[in-house]
Amino acid sequence: MALVVGDGVLGAASILALPIAAQRHVVAAAVNFAKLAEADLAGCPIARVNVDAGDEGLELFRADVGNAMEYNALWSEANVRRISEWLRRNAMPSGEGVTKKPVRLLITSLLQSASAAIQKDEVRDLPEELTPKVSPDSVAQLDLALAKWAQDAHEELQQQLDVAFGSRSWRKLSWWKLFWRADDVAMVTSEMIGLYFLPGAEKRIIYLSGRIDEAGVVEGQRQTTVGLGSATKWPTHIPFARHYLQERTVPALQALAQKLVVQSASIASLSSALAGLSYLSAVGAYESGAIAAVGIIFGARRFQQKWDAAREYWEGELREEGRKAIRASEASISAVLEQAGKSQGPSEDRIARLEELRKAKETIRRAEDALVRME
């Protein structure tokens, strides 16, 4: 039970804005009006009280018992008796075996809340019931299509990269041509990645993902697989790997080419300067030329070794990133198909949850029957 108390007209307006009329057995309202008769509030769900009159009556009675008449008049004017009767009527039992209405309302509210929670849980499971099940034959066919895609993707990766690394564009980046083509490294390598890095496999995986979505495999599943069912409906490992290669490896290769050109030119310049100084120091022309030749050959040989090693490493990195992207795409779709194969029937967790809901509904029904008998 609750008693809402206000003061004056503003307090009455605030209380009247609350839905207390339908809950009179549980919630009561009282407003302090010093100069207002009881008849003025006829039909209003608010009880009028006069706190000042009640305080004055109590002070007179405490000062002298002989002021009982004045106390009785002021206490009646305070209208506290109405609040006391409401509290006593709703708090004290009216008979043996009879439950008070506020208690019954509280129990009824709890039972209604529990029933609403159960219905909400059942409605949440309803889409799973309405979702069409995928036939095992469809899952098997999609598994075969996935295996075929993976095989074709690996073959495409090997063949396309062999073509790319044997192309004229890649040969333009030989070490001895790099002196005037160092600035073209980024353009040539980015073009190779865009043209030869699994373009057909990416299109086929999108088509396969469309078949999976059309078969209803993805629908109803909680997507925890990377690249499928999140921002797109197909695995994005291949474009992600392509973006990684273009943004991380290509700038590094470009910077290395420019660095090697500068270092080779610096070594050649230093050796030539040393040869010139040696010639001016009365060293023979042949000896000075030998010094310059040794420096130039050393710089060129160092340039060739480092650049060829970098090219070989970059070729291997492209092949490895391609294999990783293919394996990741295959694993993501395989996980979805495997989950679809397992979800042909209701899971054990769902069966247990439905059994718990059934028991809870039965308990609520028995409680409602008992509450009716208590009335």
Side-chain angles (χ1 to χ4, degrees):
M1 294 185 299
L3 178 63
V4 183
V5 181
D7 185 22
V9 177
L10 293 179
S14 300
I15 292 174
L16 289 175
L18 302 175
I20 62 174
Q23 303 291 336
R24 293 188 179 183
H25 296 281
V26 182
V27 181
V31 180
N32 179 30
F33 283 115
K35 298 179 180 180
L36 193 65
E38 186 70 22
D40 296 333
L41 294 177
C44 184
I46 299 176
R48 180 197 65 83
V49 295
N50 190 341
V51 178
D52 295 335
D55 289 341
E56 184 180 356
L58 287 175
E59 290 177 358
L60 290 175
F61 187 77
R62 289 168 182 169
D64 188 358
V65 180
N67 297 326
M69 296 294 294
E70 291 83 355
Y71 161 74
N72 189 28
L74 291 172
W75 193 252
S76 298
E77 183 181 353
N79 199 26
V80 181
R81 185 177 292 107
R82 179 177 174 181
I83 305 300
S84 301
E85 291 177 355
W86 177 82
L87 290 172
R88 185 170 55 254
R89 183 174 61 253
N90 290 283
M92 300 298 293
S94 57
E96 185 177 357
V98 178
T99 305
K100 302 300 294 182
K101 190 166 185 179
V103 178
R104 292 200 305 271
L105 291 175
L106 176 60
I107 297 175
T108 302
S109 177
L110 293 175
L111 294 177
Q112 290 176 352
S113 299
S115 298
I118 293 175
Q119 291 178 359
K120 183 178 180 180
D121 205 358
E122 291 176 341
V123 170
R124 185 179 58 189
D125 290 339
L126 186 60
E128 185 176 349
E129 290 289 339
L130 298 178
T131 301
K133 302 301 181 181
V134 184
S135 65
D137 293 338
S138 299
V139 176
Q141 292 177 1
L142 292 173
D143 277 328
L144 293 176
L146 177 62
K148 181 67 167 56
W149 172 85
Q151 181 180 356
D152 294 343
H154 283 289
E155 293 178 358
E156 178 188 355
L157 178 67
Q158 181 178 358
Q159 295 173 1
Q160 290 293 321
L161 291 185
D162 288 342
V163 172
F165 296 135
S167 64
R168 182 180 178 184
S169 298
W170 186 240
R171 290 196 300 269
K172 288 180 180 179
L173 300 182
S174 299
W175 72 272
W176 57 275
K177 295 182 179 180
L178 211 60
F179 289 99
W180 60 89
R181 291 189 181 275
D183 294 334
D184 297 338
V185 172
M187 180 187 67
V188 172
T189 52
S190 297
E191 183 180 2
M192 289 174 57
I193 293 173
L195 292 177
Y196 299 104
F197 189 79
L198 298 173
E202 183 180 5
K203 295 178 182 179
R204 290 193 298 272
I205 196 65
I206 294 175
Y207 173 74
L208 179 59
S209 300
R211 289 181 56 189
I212 293 174
D213 187 45
E214 183 181 6
V217 174
V218 180
E219 186 178 359
Q221 292 190 25
R222 295 180 179 178
Q223 299 302 326
T224 57
T225 306
V226 177
L228 188 61
S230 52
T232 61
K233 292 186 177 181
W234 58 85
T236 57
H237 302 89
I238 294 176
F240 178 80
R242 186 182 297 117
H243 178 75
Y244 166 77
L245 291 170
Q246 290 177 339
E247 295 295 327
R248 297 296 181 88
T249 64
V250 169
L253 194 64
Q254 170 80 44
L256 178 62
Q258 295 174 343
K259 177 182 177 182
L260 291 176
V261 169
V262 172
Q263 289 179 350
S264 179
S266 300
I267 293 174
S269 300
L270 290 175
S271 61
S272 299
L274 181 60
L277 292 175
S278 300
Y279 181 74
L280 294 176
S281 301
V283 178
Y286 291 104
E287 290 80 358
S288 300
I291 293 174
V294 168
I296 294 173
I297 292 173
F298 171 76
R301 180 60 178 169
R302 179 177 177 274
F303 187 6
Q304 180 184 8
Q305 290 177 345
K306 287 186 173 294
W307 181 244
D308 288 344
R311 279 164 52 101
E312 184 178 356
Y313 177 80
W314 192 73
E315 292 177 6
E317 189 172 13
L318 252 67
R319 297 182 189 276
E320 182 61 26
E321 289 296 329
R323 286 191 289 267
K324 288 166 59 177
I326 294 172
R327 289 196 299 267
S329 300
E330 182 182 10
S332 63
I333 293 186
S334 178
V336 174
L337 295 178
E338 183 179 358
Q339 181 66 24
K342 292 180 179 179
S343 61
Q344 296 302 317
S347 62
E348 295 181 359
D349 294 340
R350 186 171 181 277
I351 294 175
R353 187 169 67 251
L354 291 176
E355 181 64 20
E356 291 179 359
L357 293 177
R358 188 191 64 78
K359 292 181 180 179
K361 291 174 65 176
E362 180 64 21
T363 302
I364 293 175
R365 187 190 62 79
R366 292 200 302 268
E368 290 175 346
D369 294 341
L371 185 62
V372 172
R373 290 194 299 270
M374 290 172 62
E375 295 179 357

